[in-house]
Amino acid sequence: MLDKLAAVLKPFPNPIRVEGHTDDRPIRTTAFPSNWELSAARAASVVHQFMRQGIDPLRLEIVGFGEFHPRQPNETSEGRNANRRVVVLVLEEVAPGATMTARATDQTPVAAAPGIEMADASSGANRLLYRVPLATLEQTVLIKEQSAPAATPVPVQSKPVIESTP
C-alpha cells in the first residue's frame, strides 16, 4: 500500500507530514522508552519507505504524537488497535518561511473506519472528506472546488490523508 501511495505522491511538489500514533498502553524497552519514541518510529518507517520509492526527503517530515491523539477509546482491543496508526498528510505547497498548519483541532471522527481516507488538511473544518478504496487509489483524481469562480479555472489537487494500522 505504501509503495502505491508513494507512486501517487512522487510527481507532486507538496510537503508530506507523516504522523505516528499509539494506544495508551505504556511501553518501556531499550528501543522505545515511551510511546513518544514508538509513535515517531512508526512515522519514520513510512518516511524511509517513501524515500526508497524516490520521494524527495526535503518534502518529508515526521511527527510522533504518542498516545495523546486517540481516535477511539482505549478500553477495548478494537479501540487500542484503531489508535495504533500512521497518518499521512499531504500539505499545501507554501512559500519558504511561511507558516503552515495541517492538524485539525478536533480528532478524526470515531465512526471513521480504518482504511484510506481523503481529507483536505488546509483547515480544521475539512479534516475528513471521504474514503477511497485501496484498489482504486491509482485511478483516483481529486479536485478541490474553488470557493469563488476564477477568471481562468485552475483545478487544485486536494490533499490525501492516509491512515493505516501497522
Side-chain angles (χ1 to χ4, degrees), residues 69-91:
H69 292 269
R71 185 172 174 180
Q72 294 186 13
N74 283 294
E75 284 77 38
T76 65
S77 61
E78 293 82 15
R80 288 187 297 276
N81 284 337
N83 293 330
R84 298 178 198 128
R85 68 192 190 281
V86 171
V87 178
V88 176
L89 291 162
V90 179
L91 308 174

Side-chain angles (χ1 to χ4, degrees), residues 1 15 20 33 36 41 43 48 56 66 69 90 95 106-107 114 117 119 131 133 135 138 140-141 149 158 162-163:
M1 175 167 69
W36 288 107
H48 287 292
D56 183 354
H69 292 269
V90 179
D106 59 344
Q107 298 174 10
E117 300 168 351
R131 189 174 324 284
E138 292 175 330
T140 303
V141 176
S158 57
I162 310 299
E163 292 196 13

Side-chain angles (χ1 to χ4, degrees), residues 5-159:
L5 178 60
V8 170
L9 297 175
K10 186 178 176 182
F12 299 99
N14 302 68
I16 302 167
R17 175 179 297 157
V18 182
E19 302 175 346
H21 299 267
T22 67
D23 61 23
D24 68 348
R25 296 278 170 102
I27 186 169
R28 185 165 288 138
T29 67
T30 304
F32 308 115
S34 74
N35 279 326
W36 288 107
E37 288 83 7
L38 177 58
S39 64
R42 284 184 175 152
S45 68
V46 172
V47 163
H48 287 292
Q49 185 62 26
F50 282 175
M51 287 175 22
R52 282 191 290 274
Q53 296 303 315
I55 293 180
D56 183 354
L58 294 175
R59 293 176 52 201
L60 302 169
E61 62 183 64
I62 297 168
V63 179
F65 284 107
E67 69 267 22
F68 299 103
H69 292 269
R71 185 172 174 180
Q72 294 186 13
N74 283 294
E75 284 77 38
T76 65
S77 61
E78 293 82 15
R80 288 187 297 276
N81 284 337
N83 293 330
R84 298 178 198 128
R85 68 192 190 281
V86 171
V87 178
V88 176
L89 291 162
V90 179
L91 308 174
E92 288 191 53
E93 190 173 12
V94 295
T99 303
M100 194 168 34
T101 303
R103 173 144 286 286
T105 56
D106 59 344
Q107 298 174 10
T108 302
V110 172
I116 295 179
E117 300 168 351
M118 306 309 275
D120 176 354
S122 64
S123 82
N126 296 328
R127 179 75 172 140
L128 180 65
L129 297 179
Y130 61 96
R131 189 174 324 284
V132 174
L134 179 59
T136 62
L137 179 63
E138 292 175 330
Q139 302 144 2
T140 303
V141 176
L142 302 174
I143 304 298
K144 179 180 177 182
E145 293 182 16
Q146 296 180 2
S147 56
T152 307
V154 179
V156 177
Q157 291 287 334
S158 57
K159 287 117 261 27

